[in-house]
Amino acid sequence: MKVRIAGLVNDSITDGSGLRLSVFSQGCPHFCRGCHNPATHDPGGGHETDVTAILAVLDANPLLDGITLTGGEPFFQVSPMAKLAEETQRRGFSVWTYTGYRWEELMEKIEKGNAGFAKLLKHTDVLVDGRYESKLRSLSLPFRGSSNQRLIDVARSLATGSVIEL
């Protein structure tokens, strides 16, 4: 399954807990002011690759704890990102997903029948939600750029029907 990405960063320690393979998806509808990665906004930028090629990078590094889907906006290419997340979990690795959508926005999309959004969320362990807000920027927050963003335990949040933050 093809996916357009801006790039991969192996051995990342900034995009989630542990040692991670960060996948920078290409294309983002949010255009957050002050975004640290505006080169990922253009849906025609980056390059196309295959989900199996990304999984091969994951499989080749025995030190990794998981994969992080970031961007761009991973939900912009939800089908290949959901497949990547599913295969990553099947291999026993954790999945973190960064999104500009708030949890509540994702729930609305799922309630309207967006099965791809539901699948990506189902195969995410930790969701970092919310747009980057430059006026709320904080360098003291682990794994996020602004204080409006939340680290969400997805499994517990889906089970309880309310946001459970880590």
Side-chain angles (χ1 to χ4, degrees), residues 20-21 23 51 54-55 58-59 64-69 80-96 123 125:
R20 313 195 66 77
L21 175 63
V23 180
V51 168
I54 297 170
L55 290 168
L58 177 70
D59 291 339
L64 292 174
D65 296 296
I67 198 166
T68 297
L69 307 177
M81 289 296 172
K83 181 68 174 172
L84 181 57
E86 179 181 20
E87 290 298 319
T88 297
Q89 283 188 333
R90 192 176 65 72
R91 286 166 163 76
F93 295 100
S94 67
V95 176
W96 283 49
H123 293 291
D125 297 291

Side-chain angles (χ1 to χ4, degrees), residues 40-114:
T40 63
H41 293 177
D42 179 1
H47 67 278
E48 191 174 84
T49 188
D50 197 279
V51 168
T52 57
I54 297 170
L55 290 168
V57 175
L58 177 70
D59 291 339
N61 187 342
L63 300 176
L64 292 174
D65 296 296
I67 198 166
T68 297
L69 307 177
T70 186
E73 170 55 66
F75 283 91
F76 188 73
Q77 298 181 77
V78 71
S79 292
M81 289 296 172
K83 181 68 174 172
L84 181 57
E86 179 181 20
E87 290 298 319
T88 297
Q89 283 188 333
R90 192 176 65 72
R91 286 166 163 76
F93 295 100
S94 67
V95 176
W96 283 49
T97 301
Y98 283 71
T99 180
Y101 293 109
R102 298 280 293 173
W103 175 270
E104 294 77 7
E105 293 174 296
L106 294 174
M107 291 299 105
E108 287 177 19
K109 291 184 180 298
I110 291 169
E111 287 173 10
K112 291 179 180 175
N114 194 321

Side-chain angles (χ1 to χ4, degrees), residues 9 11-18 20 22 68 96 98 142-144:
V9 173
D11 300 331
S12 172
I13 58 169
T14 59
D15 298 318
S17 65
R20 313 195 66 77
S22 295
T68 297
W96 283 49
Y98 283 71
F143 309 124
R144 55 199 149 145

